[in-house]
Amino acid sequence: MNKEIFIAVCDRLKTEVPQLRWIDAEEGQLNTGERPAVAFPCCLIDISYPSCETHMGGRQKINAQIQLRVAFQAGGSTNAAAPKLVREHALSCMDTLDKIHEALQWWNGGNLFNPMRRLRGAPEKRADGLKVYNVIYETEFMD
């Protein structure tokens, strides 16, 4: 996979989303029975190439997907009867997700790749007290 894209995404998130305390490659850090070896909130990044199209001269147009696993520790009650400050704190993860989207949507890494666009986002179902969102962005580049 492309090291330049990985570094560009990490650097962009570090600069634009200071709420993130840990930005790293996805290596299964959250899939452990013990406390994960990350600081929360964290963003774990994986890049895949779901399709590649070969052009003249052997160059390829790469369709790349950047998967972000954004994890938070449980933040408290979100129900409508919770005190406003408790609810705001518990829902602050959504503010972080919004900042990530602002940083990546239509960003092109200084013309390193075509502008990114979000494909989908969904929470994971977990029983360990972590709230984890999977968000996938897509882009293309020539290799």
Side-chain angles (χ1 to χ4, degrees):
M1 300 300 123
N2 192 299
K3 178 172 73 173
E4 287 180 283
I5 292 175
F6 177 81
I7 290 170
V9 171
C10 287
D11 290 350
R12 177 76 171 183
L13 291 173
K14 181 179 178 183
T15 301
E16 299 295 323
V17 190
Q19 297 90 332
L20 293 172
R21 295 185 55 221
W22 191 269
I23 302 166
D24 200 355
E26 167 61 71
E27 301 290 344
Q29 297 93 318
L30 302 177
N31 304 334
T32 178
E34 302 171 11
R35 186 195 182 288
V38 299
F40 293 102
C42 72
C43 181
L44 303 173
I45 302 166
D46 214 350
I47 299 174
S48 64
Y49 298 169
S51 66
C52 304
E53 181 181 313
T54 302
H55 289 255
M56 297 293 288
R59 292 190 49 133
Q60 288 191 309
K61 179 181 179 183
I62 308 295
N63 174 280
Q65 291 186 355
I66 293 86
Q67 179 178 348
L68 310 177
R69 284 183 83 201
V70 187
F72 305 86
Q73 288 182 310
S77 181
T78 59
N79 73 68
K84 183 177 180 179
L85 289 176
V86 171
R87 193 174 185 193
E88 284 291 322
H89 176 70
L91 294 173
S92 67
C93 62
M94 293 181 186
D95 297 329
T96 302
L97 293 169
D98 286 344
K99 291 289 284 179
I100 291 169
H101 182 65
E102 289 172 17
L104 297 181
Q105 183 75 2
W106 300 120
W107 173 66
N108 68 2
N111 293 320
L112 182 61
F113 43 79
N114 289 341
M116 287 183 156
R117 60 202 169 276
R118 182 174 51 196
L119 287 182
R120 63 186 170 277
E124 289 181 12
K125 303 294 184 215
R126 299 178 65 98
D128 60 3
L130 296 179
K131 185 69 175 178
V132 179
Y133 294 88
N134 283 297
V135 185
I136 298 178
Y137 286 83
E138 181 178 59
T139 188
E140 299 87 22
F141 64 95
M142 293 300 291
D143 189 22

